[in-house]
Structure formats: C-alpha cells, structure tokens
C-alpha cells in the first residue's frame, strides 16, 4: 500500500480539487491523510459530513474561532507578527509562518505521518510539505489552483514579496507540479524555467441530471453565478446593469457567502436601475456535491471575471466546468483563459468583451430571443461534460503523476 498525505491551509469544502484527488486515491487503496485548518465558518457543516464519511482521513489543526478559540487566536497572532517581521528578516521561519496561519501545527503533524508523498494544495501549505518530506525522505507534489504571485496589482506589495519569496524558495524542491489552467502553467514555466507544470482542469465527476427546457414564454431567464464569496470586482455589477438594459424578464441567482454590506450594495444597484425585487436572489452556500442538481434549475452560467489582477486573467475557475457539467449555457468574459477555453469549445456559449456593457447585454438578449438555441446549448454542454470534461477523464493525468513517483 502506498501512503499519500495532503496539506492545505483551507478546508475540504473550500478545496474541491483536493477532495477529488484524496477520494480517488482512497478508492484505489492508498492510505490517505489530509491535514487542513479553519478558513470559513460557513464550510464547517459540510466539512463535518465529509470527514465523517472518511473516518481518520482528515486531520484538523490550528483551532477555530468557535470551538478551539485559544489555538485559533494564538495562530492568528503568530501569523500577524510574522507578517510584520517579514519586512525585516527571512530567518527563523518568519516567511513560512507569515504565509500560513497553521504552518507549525501542520508541519508537526506531517512529520509524524509515515508517507511516500506529500501533496501541497496551495502556496501556504508548500513549506510544510517540503520540510516534512525532507525529514521523512518522501516526495512532494504541488497543485497551483492559482498563480499566487499573480494575485497582486503591484510588485511593491509586501504580500506579493512574501508569495514570491515562498515560490522562489520551495518550487525547486517539488517532484511534480500541477496547474489549474494552461495559462497558469505557462506563466509559471516562464517565471521558473526548471518547472514542468502539468494541467489538471477544474472538472468534476459525472452527475446524472435531467436537462429540461426551463426557459419558456412568460418565464424569467435565470442567470446563475456562484463562488465561495459574493463580493465586488467579480463582474456582478455588470450583470445587473446588463439585465436592466435588456427587454426581457431576467433573474440573477447568486450562490455563496455574502456579507450584509455586499448584499445591500447589489440590491441598491438593482433598485437604482429599476429592477424588480425578485430579479436578484441570494442563496446560502451549499456542499460541493449539491451544486450540480441546484445549478441545473437555471439556464445560463455567468463567468464574469474582470481580468484583474493577472491571476484572474489566466485562471480557469471551477465555474466554467460546473456550468458545462450541469447542462447550462455559458456567458463568459474575454479573459485570456476564458477566451482560450471558448475558442476550444465555441458551442458552449457566448464570449463577451469585459467592461463592455453592450457586449454583455447582447449576449443575454441573444438567449432571450432564441430559447431553442439556449436549450440545444444546454443539452450539448451536458453531453460534453459526460464524455470529455469530467473528473473520470481528467483524473488519469493526476494518477499517472502519482503512480510514476
């Protein structure tokens, strides 16, 4: 039996890529452990369901603000102090504790696990994986769901310098490197020539759904957008403005954790533009495996990335693949990554020019005026998800990497 240990600075519910990889290895008979820590309160309930499904697999560390307050606040203080000290020194584990609140706790647990391979599932988890692997003579894998040094608009930002430092120090010590989009892989290869990134798309296991023609005469066209957090600078304001500019009955359904301030900001914008009260609807976060049946009730998935900072321009989020696998048509902004995807799969929906309100309005209006095309697009997307863009296909890439090590 082979042993694999995953490390993340998030929670299982907030990291579906990790969960998919852990589950498939477990099903194939690997001994799997996952070291994780508190990240979002809303994810706690779904985490409990998942961890109870796999007793002993998931190991929690670093405390939380509700049950294990002392540990949580101790790690928060340590991270804040380390972040301040990073301006003056790179010694004493300061960078590692600045980029991960639970670095010390995760490392201590990881060192005690006899494993063949550590897999870090974000930049903050990488130092613990590398250091534990050095201690135990194991291999290291790294998954770049984002380009972390590309998440900032200025290279003078202290957080950029921290992320860049961790990349430069630890990337050369990994045995395999995966990326969530072709452009993330290419940009990282350009920055660090010694890397050989392998692309693993953000697809999901096949789901059996009954795709019906939701949009009919006198029914609203239902747009859908989801993320862990509903907030500004994600293109939502543009959707609302485009809805007001169309002549049809359009609803926008938003799924995710939303602060009261962000909710009011979007509702107030809708009021200013004379939208009806039912045209903006908010939904609380749900477990990842429930999203597909939930999303299939809608018509069009919105992928409205603004392209700023660089990471948002080159990432290919799980929204894209969720929409396809749920049988939704798609309207996507022309970020570098989404444009590349739509060029490869042009029948999946409409590409609009970001920050061009008329372009977005025209895309929505097209489907209002062509319900039959909308339905056929939905059917074709669902079939694409069943045949090509799914985890059953994509997981072979991941398994080859692990088995080769």
């Amino acid at each position: 039996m082979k042993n694999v240990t995953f490390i993340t600075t998030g929670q299982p519910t907030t990291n579906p890529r990790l969960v998919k990889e852990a589950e498939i290895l477990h099903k194939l008979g690997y001994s799997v452990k996952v070291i994780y820590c508190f990240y979002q309160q809303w994810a706690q309930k779904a985490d409990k369901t998942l961890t109870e499904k796999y007793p002993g697999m998931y190991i929690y560390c670093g405390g939380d603000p509700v049950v294990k307050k002392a540990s949580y606040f101790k790690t928060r203080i340590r991270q804040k102090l380390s972040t301040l000290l990073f301006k003056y020194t790179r010694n004493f584990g300061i960078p590692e504790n600045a980029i991960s609140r639970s670095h010390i706790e995760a490392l201590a647990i990881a060192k005690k696990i006899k494993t063949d391979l550590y897999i870090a599932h974000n930049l903050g988890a990488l130092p613990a994986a590398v250091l534990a692997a050095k201690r135990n003579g194991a291999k290291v894998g790294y998954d770049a769901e984002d380009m972390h040094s590309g998440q900032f608009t200025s290279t003078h930002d202290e957080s950029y310098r921290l992320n860049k430092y961790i990349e430069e120090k630890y990337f050369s010590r990994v045995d395999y490197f995966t990326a969530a989009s072709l452009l993330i892989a290419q940009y990282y290869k350009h920055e660090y020539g010694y890397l050989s990134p392998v692309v693993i798309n953000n697809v999901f296991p096949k789901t059996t759904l009954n795709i019906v023609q939701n949009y009919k005469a006198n029914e609203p066209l239902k747009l859908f957008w989801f993320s862990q957090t509903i907030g500004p600078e994600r293109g939502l304001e543009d959707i609302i403005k485009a809805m007001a500019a169309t002549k049809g009955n359009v609803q926008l359904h938003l799924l995710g954790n939303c602060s009261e301030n962000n909710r009011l900001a979007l509702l107030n914008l809708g009021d200013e533009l004379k939208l009806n009260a039912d045209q903006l609807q908010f939904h609380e976060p749900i477990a990842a495996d429930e999203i597909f049946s939930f999303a299939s009730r809608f018509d069009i998935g919105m992928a409205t990335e603004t392209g700023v900072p660089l990471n948002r321009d080159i990432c290919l989020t799980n929204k894209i693949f969720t929409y396809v696998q749920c049988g939704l048509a798609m309207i996507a902004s022309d970020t570098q990554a989404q444009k590349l995807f739509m060029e490869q799969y042009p029948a999946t929906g409409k590409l609009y020019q970001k920050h061009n309100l008329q372009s977005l309005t025209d895309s929505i209006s097209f489907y209002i005026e062509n319900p039959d095309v909308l339905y056929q697009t939905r059917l074709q997307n669902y079939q694409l998800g069943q045949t090509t863009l799914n985890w059953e296909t994509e997981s072979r890439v991941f398994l080859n990497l692990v088995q080769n090590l």
Side-chain angles (χ1 to χ4, degrees), residues 267-281:
L267 289 173
N268 288 338
L269 178 60
D271 288 340
E272 291 173 11
L273 297 171
K274 304 294 190 293
L275 294 186
N276 296 328
D278 68 340
Q279 286 187 264
L280 290 182
Q281 298 192 23

Side-chain angles (χ1 to χ4, degrees), residues 78-306:
R78 182 178 65 214
Q79 185 179 30
K80 287 184 177 181
L81 287 174
S82 297
T83 301
L84 291 172
L85 291 171
F86 177 74
K87 298 177 183 179
Y88 309 104
T89 181
R90 307 295 191 259
N91 299 320
F92 315 112
I94 294 298
E96 290 78 5
N97 284 294
I99 203 162
S100 170
R101 177 180 63 82
S102 58
H103 169 72
I104 289 177
E105 290 75 13
L107 177 58
I109 295 169
K111 283 181 176 179
K112 294 177 182 178
I113 300 174
K114 182 175 175 55
T115 196
D116 301 291
L117 171 64
Y118 293 95
I119 303 178
H121 255 267
N122 47 48
L123 193 61
L126 184 57
V130 169
L131 295 173
K134 181 180 179 181
R135 169 72 173 268
N136 294 326
K139 301 287 187 178
V140 179
Y142 176 69
D143 182 61
E145 187 166 355
D146 295 289
M147 184 177 182
H148 288 277
S149 57
Q151 291 179 316
F152 309 95
T153 56
S154 171
T155 56
H156 299 294
D157 189 313
E158 202 64 35
S159 294
Y160 164 81
R161 293 177 179 175
L162 173 61
N163 280 260
K164 191 69 174 176
Y165 174 83
I166 295 295
E167 289 178 357
E168 291 175 344
K169 182 175 180 179
Y170 289 99
F171 277 178
S172 62
R173 300 163 75 176
V174 304
D175 296 285
Y176 82 71
F177 190 107
T178 56
S181 81
L182 176 62
L183 291 178
I184 290 176
Q186 289 178 348
Y187 270 78
Y188 264 141
K189 176 66 176 177
H190 179 265
E191 290 292 310
Y192 307 100
Y194 52 81
L195 291 177
S196 298
V198 176
V199 178
I200 297 181
N201 287 312
N202 272 313
V203 292
F204 295 90
K206 298 177 186 178
T207 304
T208 302
L209 297 170
N210 182 27
I211 308 302
V212 298
Q213 190 166 4
N214 296 327
Y215 180 51
K216 303 171 184 176
N218 302 319
E219 291 288 326
L221 180 73
K222 297 177 181 177
L223 311 180
F224 177 62
W225 182 96
F226 77 97
S227 187
Q228 293 181 17
T229 302
I230 299 170
E233 299 180 3
R234 303 298 302 275
L236 300 181
E237 297 84 357
D238 289 341
I239 301 176
I240 294 171
K241 292 174 184 177
M243 288 168 60
T246 63
K247 297 179 180 179
N249 183 8
V250 186
Q251 291 181 346
L252 174 60
H253 292 259
L254 301 171
L255 172 68
N257 188 48
C258 188
S259 70
E260 190 59 26
N261 286 341
N262 287 334
R263 183 192 300 264
L264 287 175
L266 294 174
L267 289 173
N268 288 338
L269 178 60
D271 288 340
E272 291 173 11
L273 297 171
K274 304 294 190 293
L275 294 186
N276 296 328
D278 68 340
Q279 286 187 264
L280 290 182
Q281 298 192 23
F282 295 82
H283 304 273
E284 294 296 319
I286 57 178
D289 58 0
E290 297 174 8
I291 288 179
F292 300 94
S293 59
F294 180 82
S296 65
R297 307 182 320 190
F298 308 110
D299 301 303
I300 301 173
M302 306 298 293
T304 53
E305 298 297 342
T306 61

